[in-house]
Amino acid sequence: MTVDVMLPYYGDVDQMKLAAQSVMSQQYQDWRLVVIDDGYPDPEPARWFASIEDPRVTYQRNEENLGANGNYRKALGLVEAPYVVIMGADDVMLPNYLEVVVSAFAEYPGADVVQPGVQVIDEKGIACTPLVDAVKKVYAPKTSKRIELKGEAMATSLVRADWAYFPSLAWRSETITRIGFTEGLDVVQDLALLLDIAAEHGSMVVDPVLAFLYRRHSASDSSVRALDGRRFDEERRFFAQQAERFAGLGWNRAARAARFHTTSRLNAASMVLKSVAKGRVDSLPRLVKHIVS
């Protein structure tokens, strides 16, 4: 197989089925789908996958819940193909997705990761552009053809605003399994991995061709953490560490972008009114601390 699609799963059963079906409907056929159920309390996933006869599809259930970070790390340990996608269990690959990313790797054989074009959808599957995604569009590379970002340029662009969509990324398996996910990170684990690649002078290909639907939930873990301020505690520590690392590499632009983490501060500012509206005034000190520090 050329591509392993890893599907760490815990959540809505119907959306998970839709995600799996989108993999099985790919125009590019040289793939393997591995679903890792993190103990979701419903027998339907096991029953449904048992009915699928395609030998490229496998399903396994963790004996105990590992949590998102732990399940991602388990998924990496199961990778066999040269390229891998760690897909969200509520997202959707358009039929051209694997064709697009495999073609990008063929054009840029030294690339470590590929970001195809993404459309954000809401809980009902309707296209939308929440504020966070509007900001991503502003900072994302503007291109009508594939481009490759490397080293400091890649790091600076991503630190200014994490415009990548992790579940839509296709990775060189050797790179992602070697670097892995940093234990203890929840919200910024995807950005941490991309910046680790950049720090090694690795590269990322950006392809503007629409190939993936990313589902944005208001009740997602990152949204909840943003509203109560926990997300920003993690981000503030993370950006401080990255600023120090980039300064050590002599990457002054990247270090400055990490110190200012402007879009992260703006995100915290946008949460202030939401917190007040929802009566979550207990989160205000955390949010204000992030905005000013």
Side-chain angles (χ1 to χ4, degrees), residues 94-112:
L94 294 179
N96 64 334
Y97 173 82
L98 289 179
E99 196 171 70
V100 168
V101 298
V102 170
S103 174
F105 277 120
E107 183 176 349
Y108 293 91
D112 297 287

PDB file of all heavy atoms in Angstrom, residues 94-112:
ATOM      1  N   LEU A  94     -12.759  14.307   0.162  1.00  0.00           N
ATOM      2  CA  LEU A  94     -13.392  14.343  -1.138  1.00  0.00           C
ATOM      3  C   LEU A  94     -12.758  13.238  -1.988  1.00  0.00           C
ATOM      4  O   LEU A  94     -11.633  12.797  -1.701  1.00  0.00           O
ATOM      5  CB  LEU A  94     -13.218  15.720  -1.767  1.00  0.00           C
ATOM      6  CG  LEU A  94     -13.943  16.861  -1.029  1.00  0.00           C
ATOM      7  CD1 LEU A  94     -13.689  18.190  -1.720  1.00  0.00           C
ATOM      8  CD2 LEU A  94     -15.431  16.586  -0.916  1.00  0.00           C
ATOM      9  N   PRO A  95     -13.442  12.762  -3.034  1.00  0.00           N
ATOM     10  CA  PRO A  95     -12.937  11.608  -3.794  1.00  0.00           C
ATOM     11  C   PRO A  95     -11.541  11.774  -4.373  1.00  0.00           C
ATOM     12  O   PRO A  95     -10.842  10.786  -4.621  1.00  0.00           O
ATOM     13  CB  PRO A  95     -13.971  11.456  -4.916  1.00  0.00           C
ATOM     14  CG  PRO A  95     -15.235  12.013  -4.320  1.00  0.00           C
ATOM     15  CD  PRO A  95     -14.778  13.172  -3.479  1.00  0.00           C
ATOM     16  N   ASN A  96     -11.096  13.017  -4.555  1.00  0.00           N
ATOM     17  CA  ASN A  96      -9.779  13.265  -5.164  1.00  0.00           C
ATOM     18  C   ASN A  96      -8.659  13.400  -4.141  1.00  0.00           C
ATOM     19  O   ASN A  96      -7.497  13.617  -4.517  1.00  0.00           O
ATOM     20  CB  ASN A  96      -9.831  14.547  -5.997  1.00  0.00           C
ATOM     21  CG  ASN A  96     -10.096  15.797  -5.151  1.00  0.00           C
ATOM     22  OD1 ASN A  96     -10.693  15.719  -4.081  1.00  0.00           O
ATOM     23  ND2 ASN A  96      -9.667  16.949  -5.634  1.00  0.00           N
ATOM     24  N   TYR A  97      -8.973  13.283  -2.834  1.00  0.00           N
ATOM     25  CA  TYR A  97      -7.986  13.612  -1.805  1.00  0.00           C
ATOM     26  C   TYR A  97      -6.678  12.842  -1.956  1.00  0.00           C
ATOM     27  O   TYR A  97      -5.596  13.436  -2.058  1.00  0.00           O
ATOM     28  CB  TYR A  97      -8.567  13.380  -0.404  1.00  0.00           C
ATOM     29  CG  TYR A  97      -7.516  13.540   0.686  1.00  0.00           C
ATOM     30  CD1 TYR A  97      -7.177  14.797   1.161  1.00  0.00           C
ATOM     31  CD2 TYR A  97      -6.827  12.435   1.175  1.00  0.00           C
ATOM     32  CE1 TYR A  97      -6.185  14.950   2.121  1.00  0.00           C
ATOM     33  CE2 TYR A  97      -5.843  12.578   2.130  1.00  0.00           C
ATOM     34  CZ  TYR A  97      -5.523  13.832   2.596  1.00  0.00           C
ATOM     35  OH  TYR A  97      -4.522  13.985   3.527  1.00  0.00           O
ATOM     36  N   LEU A  98      -6.723  11.528  -1.932  1.00  0.00           N
ATOM     37  CA  LEU A  98      -5.489  10.746  -1.987  1.00  0.00           C
ATOM     38  C   LEU A  98      -4.747  10.964  -3.297  1.00  0.00           C
ATOM     39  O   LEU A  98      -3.511  10.988  -3.333  1.00  0.00           O
ATOM     40  CB  LEU A  98      -5.788   9.261  -1.779  1.00  0.00           C
ATOM     41  CG  LEU A  98      -6.207   8.860  -0.366  1.00  0.00           C
ATOM     42  CD1 LEU A  98      -6.501   7.359  -0.299  1.00  0.00           C
ATOM     43  CD2 LEU A  98      -5.136   9.219   0.657  1.00  0.00           C
ATOM     44  N   GLU A  99      -5.490  11.144  -4.364  1.00  0.00           N
ATOM     45  CA  GLU A  99      -4.867  11.422  -5.654  1.00  0.00           C
ATOM     46  C   GLU A  99      -4.062  12.722  -5.601  1.00  0.00           C
ATOM     47  O   GLU A  99      -2.935  12.808  -6.107  1.00  0.00           O
ATOM     48  CB  GLU A  99      -5.956  11.523  -6.721  1.00  0.00           C
ATOM     49  CG  GLU A  99      -5.483  11.443  -8.155  1.00  0.00           C
ATOM     50  CD  GLU A  99      -6.648  11.339  -9.117  1.00  0.00           C
ATOM     51  OE1 GLU A  99      -7.383  12.350  -9.259  1.00  0.00           O
ATOM     52  OE2 GLU A  99      -6.842  10.261  -9.697  1.00  0.00           O
ATOM     53  N   VAL A 100      -4.621  13.743  -4.966  1.00  0.00           N
ATOM     54  CA  VAL A 100      -3.962  15.045  -4.852  1.00  0.00           C
ATOM     55  C   VAL A 100      -2.679  14.945  -4.028  1.00  0.00           C
ATOM     56  O   VAL A 100      -1.618  15.423  -4.439  1.00  0.00           O
ATOM     57  CB  VAL A 100      -4.919  16.089  -4.240  1.00  0.00           C
ATOM     58  CG1 VAL A 100      -4.158  17.363  -3.853  1.00  0.00           C
ATOM     59  CG2 VAL A 100      -6.030  16.430  -5.219  1.00  0.00           C
ATOM     60  N   VAL A 101      -2.753  14.321  -2.849  1.00  0.00           N
ATOM     61  CA  VAL A 101      -1.581  14.318  -1.967  1.00  0.00           C
ATOM     62  C   VAL A 101      -0.481  13.394  -2.488  1.00  0.00           C
ATOM     63  O   VAL A 101       0.710  13.716  -2.373  1.00  0.00           O
ATOM     64  CB  VAL A 101      -1.961  13.965  -0.514  1.00  0.00           C
ATOM     65  CG1 VAL A 101      -2.928  15.017   0.048  1.00  0.00           C
ATOM     66  CG2 VAL A 101      -2.550  12.568  -0.390  1.00  0.00           C
ATOM     67  N   VAL A 102      -0.849  12.259  -3.073  1.00  0.00           N
ATOM     68  CA  VAL A 102       0.170  11.367  -3.627  1.00  0.00           C
ATOM     69  C   VAL A 102       0.872  12.036  -4.803  1.00  0.00           C
ATOM     70  O   VAL A 102       2.094  11.935  -4.965  1.00  0.00           O
ATOM     71  CB  VAL A 102      -0.457  10.016  -4.052  1.00  0.00           C
ATOM     72  CG1 VAL A 102       0.539   9.181  -4.854  1.00  0.00           C
ATOM     73  CG2 VAL A 102      -0.910   9.235  -2.819  1.00  0.00           C
ATOM     74  N   SER A 103       0.113  12.761  -5.627  1.00  0.00           N
ATOM     75  CA  SER A 103       0.699  13.495  -6.748  1.00  0.00           C
ATOM     76  C   SER A 103       1.652  14.585  -6.250  1.00  0.00           C
ATOM     77  O   SER A 103       2.717  14.820  -6.835  1.00  0.00           O
ATOM     78  CB  SER A 103      -0.411  14.123  -7.591  1.00  0.00           C
ATOM     79  OG  SER A 103       0.118  14.955  -8.595  1.00  0.00           O
ATOM     80  N   ALA A 104       1.286  15.247  -5.135  1.00  0.00           N
ATOM     81  CA  ALA A 104       2.154  16.296  -4.573  1.00  0.00           C
ATOM     82  C   ALA A 104       3.472  15.708  -4.091  1.00  0.00           C
ATOM     83  O   ALA A 104       4.547  16.290  -4.303  1.00  0.00           O
ATOM     84  CB  ALA A 104       1.434  17.010  -3.433  1.00  0.00           C
ATOM     85  N   PHE A 105       3.418  14.554  -3.431  1.00  0.00           N
ATOM     86  CA  PHE A 105       4.653  13.897  -2.995  1.00  0.00           C
ATOM     87  C   PHE A 105       5.503  13.468  -4.192  1.00  0.00           C
ATOM     88  O   PHE A 105       6.736  13.498  -4.132  1.00  0.00           O
ATOM     89  CB  PHE A 105       4.340  12.684  -2.119  1.00  0.00           C
ATOM     90  CG  PHE A 105       4.076  13.008  -0.681  1.00  0.00           C
ATOM     91  CD1 PHE A 105       2.855  12.694  -0.092  1.00  0.00           C
ATOM     92  CD2 PHE A 105       5.052  13.622   0.104  1.00  0.00           C
ATOM     93  CE1 PHE A 105       2.613  12.988   1.243  1.00  0.00           C
ATOM     94  CE2 PHE A 105       4.820  13.913   1.440  1.00  0.00           C
ATOM     95  CZ  PHE A 105       3.593  13.597   2.016  1.00  0.00           C
ATOM     96  N   ALA A 106       4.857  13.073  -5.269  1.00  0.00           N
ATOM     97  CA  ALA A 106       5.603  12.676  -6.465  1.00  0.00           C
ATOM     98  C   ALA A 106       6.323  13.877  -7.075  1.00  0.00           C
ATOM     99  O   ALA A 106       7.462  13.759  -7.546  1.00  0.00           O
ATOM    100  CB  ALA A 106       4.653  12.053  -7.492  1.00  0.00           C
ATOM    101  N   GLU A 107       5.680  15.051  -7.041  1.00  0.00           N
ATOM    102  CA  GLU A 107       6.296  16.256  -7.601  1.00  0.00           C
ATOM    103  C   GLU A 107       7.388  16.796  -6.694  1.00  0.00           C
ATOM    104  O   GLU A 107       8.393  17.342  -7.161  1.00  0.00           O
ATOM    105  CB  GLU A 107       5.232  17.335  -7.825  1.00  0.00           C
ATOM    106  CG  GLU A 107       5.788  18.593  -8.475  1.00  0.00           C
ATOM    107  CD  GLU A 107       4.722  19.624  -8.784  1.00  0.00           C
ATOM    108  OE1 GLU A 107       3.510  19.304  -8.693  1.00  0.00           O
ATOM    109  OE2 GLU A 107       5.094  20.781  -9.117  1.00  0.00           O
ATOM    110  N   TYR A 108       7.207  16.647  -5.367  1.00  0.00           N
ATOM    111  CA  TYR A 108       8.191  17.112  -4.385  1.00  0.00           C
ATOM    112  C   TYR A 108       8.626  15.913  -3.540  1.00  0.00           C
ATOM    113  O   TYR A 108       8.181  15.746  -2.394  1.00  0.00           O
ATOM    114  CB  TYR A 108       7.594  18.204  -3.499  1.00  0.00           C
ATOM    115  CG  TYR A 108       7.281  19.493  -4.217  1.00  0.00           C
ATOM    116  CD1 TYR A 108       6.021  19.708  -4.782  1.00  0.00           C
ATOM    117  CD2 TYR A 108       8.249  20.488  -4.353  1.00  0.00           C
ATOM    118  CE1 TYR A 108       5.727  20.893  -5.445  1.00  0.00           C
ATOM    119  CE2 TYR A 108       7.966  21.674  -5.009  1.00  0.00           C
ATOM    120  CZ  TYR A 108       6.707  21.870  -5.555  1.00  0.00           C
ATOM    121  OH  TYR A 108       6.430  23.048  -6.217  1.00  0.00           O
ATOM    122  N   PRO A 109       9.478  15.063  -4.083  1.00  0.00           N
ATOM    123  CA  PRO A 109       9.833  13.809  -3.398  1.00  0.00           C
ATOM    124  C   PRO A 109      10.537  13.987  -2.052  1.00  0.00           C
ATOM    125  O   PRO A 109      10.579  13.054  -1.250  1.00  0.00           O
ATOM    126  CB  PRO A 109      10.731  13.093  -4.404  1.00  0.00           C
ATOM    127  CG  PRO A 109      11.241  14.174  -5.312  1.00  0.00           C
ATOM    128  CD  PRO A 109      10.138  15.183  -5.387  1.00  0.00           C
ATOM    129  N   GLY A 110      11.065  15.180  -1.788  1.00  0.00           N
ATOM    130  CA  GLY A 110      11.733  15.406  -0.508  1.00  0.00           C
ATOM    131  C   GLY A 110      10.833  15.995   0.554  1.00  0.00           C
ATOM    132  O   GLY A 110      11.266  16.199   1.701  1.00  0.00           O
ATOM    133  N   ALA A 111       9.573  16.260   0.219  1.00  0.00           N
ATOM    134  CA  ALA A 111       8.653  16.901   1.174  1.00  0.00           C
ATOM    135  C   ALA A 111       8.297  15.970   2.323  1.00  0.00           C
ATOM    136  O   ALA A 111       8.251  14.752   2.162  1.00  0.00           O
ATOM    137  CB  ALA A 111       7.391  17.365   0.454  1.00  0.00           C
ATOM    138  N   ASP A 112       8.024  16.568   3.472  1.00  0.00           N
ATOM    139  CA  ASP A 112       7.653  15.791   4.664  1.00  0.00           C
ATOM    140  C   ASP A 112       6.148  15.754   4.899  1.00  0.00           C
ATOM    141  O   ASP A 112       5.645  14.832   5.544  1.00  0.00           O
ATOM    142  CB  ASP A 112       8.327  16.387   5.903  1.00  0.00           C
ATOM    143  CG  ASP A 112       9.840  16.297   5.823  1.00  0.00           C
ATOM    144  OD1 ASP A 112      10.369  15.191   5.972  1.00  0.00           O
ATOM    145  OD2 ASP A 112      10.482  17.342   5.607  1.00  0.00           O
TER     146      ASP A 112
END
